[in-house]
Amino acid sequence: MLRLIVQSAKISPPLSPPPRPCVSVYFRGMGRERGRGRVLTSPWLPQTLIWHLWNHPLQKDSFLQIALRDMGSMKKERFIGMATVLLKPLVKKPRKILFVNDLTLLNHSMMPTEVSKAGATVAQEETEGARACSGLWGHFLSAVDASYQNILFFQRRVPLTKRSLDPQRQFPLVSPLQVRVQLFEARQLMGNDIKPVVKVVIGGHQHHSRIKMGNNPFFNEVGGLIYETLSHTPAPTAEAKTGSREDRGNWRLVSHRPSASPGHTLLRKWLGLCQPNEPNSGVRGYLKVTICALALWSLQVDKKLIYRVEDTDTRIFKSSVVPISIAYLQFFIYCAEDLHLSHKPPHALPPAPLPPRPALSHPFPLAGMYSGFLPCFGPSFLTLRGGKKAPFRMKEEDPKHQNRQKYGLCVIFLSCTMMPDFKDLIQFEVSIGHYGNKTDLSYKPLVSTTQYSPAIYDGNIYHYVPWYNTKPVVAVTSFWEDVSFRMNCLNLLQFTRDRLKANLDTLKSMRNPRDPALLPQWERLLRELVEDCKRPLPCMTSQPKATDLDKNRWKLRRLLLQELAQKAKQAPPRDMVATAEDWLYRLNAVLPEVGAGRSGREQALVLAPQAGLTLLRPQPQMNLPDVMIWLMSREQRVAYAQVPAHSVLFSPDGAQHSGRFCGKTQTLFLQVGRSGVLRGGEGPGHPKGEALSPPAPPQGAPMSLWRACPFPLCRALYQEKWEGEGEKDTLPGQLRVCMWLGNVTDSRDLELLRQGEVVVYAETYENQAKFKGQWGQQFLQHCPNFSDVLGHKALPKEDFREPHGWHWDGPWTVEPQRRLLLDTDINKSQVLEEVYENQRRDAMGAWVPAAIPNTDVNGEPMEAREIVQCPQGWHVKQTWAVELNHAVDNEGWEYGVGIPPSGLPKVWNSVEKTYYSRRRRRWARVRYRDHGQLSHEQETLSFLQLHHPGLAEDEAGWEYGVFGSKFHLNPEPQSRFRRRCWHRRLAPNKVKGIAPIFLLEGSLVKPQWSRGGLLRELEWLRLAGPSLPGLWVRWCQSEERRASLSSSKAPPPQLPPPGPFIRLVFLNHSQCTQTLKSSAAPTWAQTLIFQHLLLYESPQDTRDSPPCVVLELWQRDPQGSETLWGRSMWHPVVWLDAQDRILPPMRWHPLVKGLEDEEGEILASCELILETESLRQQLPMLSVPWKNGIYILPKSIQPTLRKMAIEMLVWGLRNMKQARSPRLLVECWEERLQTEPIRDFQTNPNFAQSALLLTLVRTPWARAGTETFVLPLVLKVVDNQDFGQETVVGQASVHSLQPYFCDPWAEDYVPPRPPTTVPLPQGQNAPSPCQDEYDQEVDWWSKLFWATGDAPQTLKYKYRDYHTLKVYDCELEAVPAFQGLQDFCQTFKLYQERPRLDSPVVGEFKGQFRVYPFPENPEAPKPPRQFPLWPKKEDFPQQCLVRVYMVRAFHLQPQDLNGLCDPYVILKLGQTMLGNRDKYQPNTLDPIFGVMFELSCTIPLEKDLEIQLYDFDLFSPDDMIGTTVIDLEDRLLSGFGARCGLSKSYCQSGPFRWRDQMPPSLLLEHHAKRKGLPPPLFSPEGDSVYYNGKKFELQSFGEKQLKPPRARFLGSKKERLALYLLHTQGLVPEHVETRTLHSDSQPGIDQGKVQMWVDIFPKKLGPPGPPAAVGELFLHKASDNRGCRYELRCVIWKTTLVDPKEKSLSYDRINDIYVKGWLFGLEKDMQKTDIHYRSVTGEGIFNWRFTFTLDYLAAEHVCVLSEKDYIWSLDPTVTKFPARLIIQVWDNNIISMDDFLGVLELDLSDMPLPAPHSRLCSVRMLEADPKWPHFLQHKHSNLFKMKNVAGWWPCQVLDGGKWRLSGKVKMTLEILTEKEALIKAAGRGQSEPNQYPTLHPPL
């Protein structure tokens, strides 16, 4: 393990206010937070942190990240500093202790701070458990992983979006995770006289419960709570230990992972306890728990009372570690292969991990898992990774391969584009397992690598490989087991899943529910799904190689397909998307993971263009390894693409059984590896290797970004980009390949592409050197006569031998490799040339030319600028000029001191010094390309096809240059080396049954040669057909971009980039749109056309698998630098015949930046058209409008331009603290509108003008109600500062106005109106506040318990239906029926102009929108205004009285060490703060407040009501538990009547009096006015009303059936009828809402719930109604935590049939019987009877009285005990437990310990009725789940209701694992209140007062 001791930190200068420091330490992505320190400027933090390494030791790049933060409770978290501690010294010396002193902390800018941390001690220790255990946490993240996932601990954590919580996309993100275990009770624990205690272990954290007594203990504790940064959810382990006189044992339960349960919660579940050392003993008891694994924005769902007796869910969760029955784990080891062993003493090979989850067999079914199939793993090979490098040995054919099949893998590389600038040659390597790895010499050399090629500039920002009409091909053969039967079934399911997902994506793109194509698409989805599901899967039962797992999974999959087919036949056209997503999820559950070993984000990036290969579950049996395609440069692996083998596997059974990409073109996006550059081939697909040590970062480069580039070559590229001017957002490459994998016997007719032929050459380079004007091989030094392209020694021409199955086709010919001779600047329109003039100082001090007068910037020799010729096809406009724009003197010279041996200075200076010995100056010029008739691509192609037929054979094909630099065809005077390439073509023999390309393995090898003699020949695919490839025309329409909508839990959306433009990339071509001004929704309306594209493919192949379109959104700042904003990828629509062409509809495509979430959406469409002869004859070829220098959208897809109106209700601005006189600026399309400034913003933040009208001329209109074209809207708040300066202080974007479209002529439209505040007329005010006397049996809490179902059964109230209450389990704003209480005006959050993801909200805008078109006829009447014009808002700001009712809270986060907290409530409203710190609820997580707060405020100046819950601490500052905020203005303005909920009945007196200011009749009148209706007309009798054109009578609402209660409770008929009508209008009823508490210290984590409600009373409406009595009455009945005092009297009369224990001289068995008893939870008050000696028959007579005093809560059926845990405790802890009486029978012994004879446990609130005679008494009376019919079950009763019972009860004892009858006891139980007990006093036992009844001593 790794141990860290954090000692102290010094903060200088001291911070104000004094901080509360917290140290966070991160290791491998796991965080530890320790200690909120004391309020000191030099805090002492002696803390010890431990990380268990298990079998994952420290690596050389391991490190600790330490952050110091201020965790002040009254403010937000503040970052102080961070530091990194490298653990490399501990790797070399594990036993060493690393002391770190004076560790300087860095700030956000990576600059040193004045804060230092001293005295940190790091040590590595090895424990026994670490050596033996594989670990609970799985594989940890390395340092590269941490940086790869951007785990920068000083950044603020961003909440996860809903998409990231999708169960299909469980990415291995590292995020804060909280695991909470709540213990309720245990039942039926085995054992006699036990004292159970529960130990909970969660990821190294332990918690012990309190020690209880009995077999059915009640705990009610939080058994475990951790809040850490975890990458996996640990499995909680609950261990129940017991101790007794007879035996001591322990039971252990490892429950299921809560993260795999619905809602990540096991809610009130019973866990079966088992004994690990006795697997046959079965269940030993049950434990009821709630386990929650909460991530960001997870919500707890347990809202029930803790003390409920009823258990509706009796399902038992059995243990997953300790089996209920005997189970055996068997390993069958068949063979081991490819072991690299040496002759040295034996050593252990690295272990092979066995996947734990597939290997376990669960005895119960789990959703999405394998239902406990056996075996769950194998037969399969386990890969041994690591170890030393194997010695070279050539592997021949082994007999063991006879049991395998020979597989062939053929890959055709079609294109590689979007690459960074590689200075060296690159090639690709294809491998599957070890086969194809050219660095592994243990296998025969295969044709697994392509030819070396350069990366050519594409004319924009990317590079590409110039393959053109000649495509490289690789062929790899390998030996694997035949698993085609398994793969065929998998591919068939993949085919079904892919078709379903494609149809689902099309269905999702149809956003308009009235789209006529919606229903046909749904029918197509159902039809194809039924067709696919009816296709039979390959039968596994008759397959000899199929395992039991294969057969069981085949049955499961077959049943699933049958079920989906049945559902698809019966599916109605309702909830179509949700239904199809559910079917897709179920299909994904039975499919394996795509590409094992890759993270979810890598999968999403690599497989995004391929129709969405989703992340699925892991495969329990490894089959064929994935195919790896490596990009190599400098003999190092730089990037890779990973392709699942089954996706390219061929099956002779048909195309549907083959892989989806078998023989088809697919697009792969290369990704940078995460394991470092590997010499031995380690990485995905390569088991062994040796990592290189990383180089140092460049000066000024952030270490985090430097670590994110794990490959040295990529780091070199990054270093070059960092130090220069380049883009860091480029991809490693986009690769298009065609792959085929299958048995070589099935490759006879292999034809991957429809055109072309495979051409195989033998290749070698002839080298010569020049000496004294002569060329020859004898002049070569340190270079072989024949070599490969890199200069390595190769075979001479005469030593080549044709491979088996091939023959030579022609002689050796010289073929210059013009692809390697290409100018990398061939596609540039202008090139900057530079030459440095160098001089040195001679002995006289004069400057003379240097030995090398002309060099480049690195000092390499160059030609003099006077003789540098301009290449052909280029021209120069200006001659050479001295560069003076750098740090040089007036003549352009820079000076330095020459340093040997090169003689060049390392540092140059612009000022001349006498000791400087070198100087240089830079000459530069720009050459421009001539504009010829050919395009750049055609010029490149013509150069590649150029020949020199006139040269002699000896002079043909020579290339001049040196290795490591570029070669040229034309010799230069200084040329000293040349080479030429010899090719000899190979032709295949006539071989039957196998493709000749797979016969090239191990060919051309001389046995006597070692490494240098291994030649891997290169293959090329030359496409046959016409001389010119197919010409294509591609165009793309780009309309607009909008930001993605974010929910309330998502981070704030980023505001638009400045200067946005689109860069469209298609293969090696790219274009850019025009650059727009900064806008939240930039709109281009532009068409980009690529003419005469050369695609060297068959048109049919292109149609089936078109190349991917990459659309990038860039921003260009005023300085000219460009930054990538997002990237979108999809496939274009292909047209082979322009006559059939239909313009594709424009769709929204997501914009993704890197590996992050969506940054926005872009509306575009793309199509690819084959350029045929008929199309060339059309002039113009494609009719696209041209306007203002750009192609605009075609008319057929242009939106309809109409005159539109946007009406805006501008209500006001809120929470803008820095604004003085703000105004609102609205921008839409090309129009803008602004309001008048708010002059008195501090006193009235509302706008003077309430409504605005923005008229848009010729604006895109959404045709046919679709959402294709939408209008974005930008809201800006401009503040007038001093001296007339205007500043944008806030900005918001309305991404789509589609929800605000309306019909202006709709008859039922009612414009929104603010609430009316007309004072009440005389005589219509609220009921008198005086309270009549009423029956105290019911109160407001009775209504609450009726609503929650927690009301006691003894409470029978005949008028209960008239007084109901609605309890919402969420916030009132979250109730869908109330529209977020923003029906009048919505709230739009304002952000800064250019915020980051964690930017705070700077304010709010309240308003509403309505959008509609003007009539096309200008003479038609204009539409009516949707928002009326209010001249003045006289009613606002408004004085209000606010009553806040705090009912209770539950599931609060513990704050104290005892797992509890002391909560109290603080209310903040503006400057007003209410709450009493002294009135806290001690030691509870579920406080009951029962308090009402009354505040006066001015809305909207004081609109945000903040409710805070604090934890009381005596000495340290109180900790904030959580907070919630309520917008009072929304509730006041809402038309749903949210200011005061509607009661069910109108009572003028009694416990349920009317609380509102206005009676129901006046409320109905105001509601009609807001809806634009005439006022209601009541009849004189008040029993009928005419409202909204209808007549309503009182009898129609059910009062005829329900007899009304007494008249003094209910109001008049008129008010009752008005109230009935109000309840039909959808208004807010009388309610209690449940609000979630949140905390800044644990963002996104639920801190608990609080139940409350708010009443708002405008003072202009008159005095408020009477408050609800939630405080006083409940203080007497429920909330005082004492309950009602009772006395329980238990008279023990006699016992009978007690088991005899001891032997005597005269009798076989005798007992000395006595009885003891106590109340559960009150064990201290245990009482005993006297002893009945020498009982032979088991009968004992006592006549003994037990008396127990208890406090009982009738509302919750629990007892209450209030006592201090320790003598120094400040407050007593209130414990609630069931009212249980425990009676035990014992045998008294003098010498030995007493013997236990039996036990009886009775729940006083639900106890079995006693038997009248002993013969009727049996154990069946105590059975919890009797098997008898209901009418034969034993009756139960409540003692608190019956008061007195007497009779016989059975006692039982555990014998042989079962409970049996051990005796009977006769008792009398009587319950009395405290007052009754004083009147009828009685003593204990037989002491005085001995009465009620009188007990006489037994005879």
Side-chain angles (χ1 to χ4, degrees), residues 786-821:
F786 288 89
S787 66
D788 60 5
V789 66
L790 296 181
H792 299 154
K793 190 174 183 178
L795 293 176
K797 295 184 296 181
E798 56 273 7
D799 293 339
F800 276 77
R801 299 293 182 268
E802 63 269 24
H804 175 71
W806 293 77
H807 64 273
W808 297 114
D809 185 11
W812 289 91
T813 58
V814 176
E815 184 174 346
Q817 295 301 300
R818 296 182 175 273
R819 186 172 288 98
L820 305 178
L821 306 178

Side-chain angles (χ1 to χ4, degrees), residues 113-344:
T113 64
E114 297 183 2
V115 181
S116 64
K117 180 179 293 293
T121 304
V122 188
Q124 181 181 1
E125 302 177 10
E126 187 177 8
T127 61
E128 188 69 23
R131 291 191 296 266
C133 182
S134 62
L136 176 65
W137 303 94
H139 297 284
F140 287 114
L141 300 174
S142 63
V144 175
D145 298 329
S147 60
Y148 179 83
Q149 297 184 5
N150 294 329
I151 307 174
L152 303 179
F153 48 87
F154 56 84
Q155 294 180 353
R156 181 177 178 183
R157 302 189 182 275
V158 181
L160 299 179
T161 61
K162 180 180 180 181
R163 164 187 168 196
S164 67
L165 298 177
D166 190 350
Q168 302 183 29
R169 306 186 52 177
Q170 296 180 0
F171 296 157
L173 298 178
V174 177
S175 60
L177 181 67
Q178 184 187 88
V179 181
R180 180 174 183 174
V181 180
Q182 189 170 6
L183 308 174
F184 292 100
E185 60 178 320
R187 290 186 183 179
Q188 302 181 21
L189 299 180
M190 296 297 183
N192 298 321
D193 189 28
I194 60 176
K195 298 180 180 179
V197 60
V198 179
K199 182 178 74 173
V200 181
V201 181
I202 309 177
H205 299 259
Q206 296 185 6
H207 175 82
H208 293 265
S209 68
R210 293 183 176 88
I211 300 176
K212 302 295 182 179
M213 295 182 64
N215 300 83
N216 300 293
F218 192 86
F219 295 100
N220 185 24
E221 298 183 28
V222 177
L225 179 66
I226 61 173
Y227 177 77
E228 298 291 349
T229 303
L230 306 176
S231 59
H232 302 281
T233 305
T237 301
E239 181 176 344
K241 294 185 177 181
T242 65
S244 67
R245 291 187 175 94
E246 294 183 355
D247 56 356
R248 293 180 182 270
N250 65 85
W251 300 294
R252 176 170 298 177
L253 164 79
V254 177
S255 68
H256 314 293
R257 294 179 180 268
S259 58
S261 304
H264 308 285
T265 303
L266 290 179
L267 181 60
R268 296 176 178 266
K269 300 300 181 182
W270 287 98
L271 308 179
L273 302 175
C274 303
Q275 206 163 13
N277 53 358
E278 295 183 7
N280 296 329
S281 60
V283 178
R284 307 287 294 177
Y286 305 95
L287 181 66
K288 186 178 182 181
V289 299
T290 290
I291 305 177
C292 302
L294 302 179
L296 293 179
W297 306 111
S298 299
L299 299 178
Q300 298 184 18
V301 296
D302 189 3
K303 303 178 180 64
K304 300 180 181 179
L305 287 177
I306 299 178
Y307 315 106
R308 294 290 298 273
V309 180
E310 299 83 358
D311 285 323
T312 57
D313 187 5
T314 58
R315 186 174 53 150
I316 305 299
F317 281 79
K318 301 176 183 179
S319 174
S320 60
V321 168
V322 182
I324 302 302
S325 59
I326 298 178
Y328 297 96
L329 179 61
Q330 297 179 344
F331 286 92
F332 295 94
I333 301 177
Y334 299 100
C335 61
E337 299 181 2
D338 305 331
L339 298 181
H340 296 161
L341 303 177
S342 62
H343 300 287
K344 296 181 180 180

Side-chain angles (χ1 to χ4, degrees), residues 1315 1317 1435-1440 1497-1500 1532 1658-1661:
T1317 56
D1435 298 334
F1436 296 93
Q1438 191 169 153
Q1439 298 290 328
C1440 296
C1497 65
T1498 302
I1499 296 178
L1532 182 62
K1659 294 185 177 180
K1660 289 186 177 181
L1661 294 180

Side-chain angles (χ1 to χ4, degrees), residues 104 223 295 487 750 811 885 989 991 1057 1085 1373 1605 1717:
T104 303
M487 292 296 189
L750 176 62
N885 294 328
N989 300 333
V991 182
E1373 293 83 356

Side-chain angles (χ1 to χ4, degrees), residues 1699 1701 1797-1798 1819 1851-1856 1858-1863:
D1699 291 344
K1701 286 291 184 181
L1797 300 180
V1819 182
C1851 296
Q1852 55 185 358
V1853 69
L1854 183 64
D1855 186 8
K1858 296 182 179 180
W1859 293 94
R1860 63 171 180 83
L1861 182 66
S1862 62

Side-chain angles (χ1 to χ4, degrees), residues 34 160 171 377 433 461 642 658 783 794 922 959 1008 1178 1200 1307 1357 1655 1703 1783:
R34 279 297 175 266
L160 299 179
F171 296 157
F377 181 82
I461 63 172
Q642 189 171 357
S658 302
C783 183
R922 179 173 179 259
E959 307 169 8
Q1008 67 272 20
Q1178 298 180 10
T1200 304
E1307 297 180 357
Y1357 190 62
D1655 288 342
K1703 292 184 179 181
I1783 300 296

